[in-house]
Amino acid sequence: MGCESYSGLLQQIDEFKMKVVYNAKELGLDANKKIYECCVCNKLFNWDDNSSWFGTLKQWDETPHKLKFFCCDPCSDKYKSLNKSR
Ligand SMILES: [Zn+2]
């Protein structure tokens, strides 16, 4: 078992949580709900009808930090077109 990478992951999550709590009020987000970070525009957002994610169900279960989240359809489209062209 990779204990080091696991604690590294926990630290990443802690930093993200701190950032979220710090920004939530300013951005008008509900900190009691789960907050995601858009991987295209880096906006923090509460999940809604416009949000989407990209990844596999295996990642969802095992490495959720590797999933990509999008605040809106344009961001999701942008990510997919950028990754297609590479
Ligand atoms: Zn976005």
Side-chain angles (χ1 to χ4, degrees):
M1 287 290 284
C3 284
E4 268 176 45
S5 65
Y6 184 63
S7 63
L9 170 63
L10 285 183
Q11 198 188 340
Q12 267 182 19
I13 292 173
D14 277 351
E15 281 170 13
F16 179 66
K17 268 189 201 156
M18 275 161 59
K19 191 163 93 172
V20 164
V21 170
Y22 181 77
N23 285 307
K25 275 185 201 162
E26 258 179 63
L27 296 170
L29 295 173
D30 186 347
N32 295 316
K33 288 182 192 161
K34 201 165 178 187
I35 292 173
Y36 299 87
E37 183 174 21
C38 179
C39 73
V40 174
C41 67
N42 294 324
K43 195 173 100 172
L44 298 172
F45 60 97
N46 285 127
W47 199 264
D48 68 19
D49 291 344
N50 299 314
S51 317
S52 58
W53 63 278
F54 182 82
T56 62
L57 285 175
K58 191 173 151 70
Q59 285 177 326
W60 184 271
D61 285 334
E62 295 173 9
T63 52
H65 60 290
K66 285 189 181 167
L67 295 169
K68 307 292 181 191
F69 296 103
F70 310 105
C71 65
C72 57
D73 285 341
C75 284
S76 157
D77 291 345
K78 198 172 162 187
Y79 177 81
K80 280 169 194 163
S81 65
L82 282 175
N83 278 271
K84 236 184 253 171
S85 61
R86 266 181 204 168

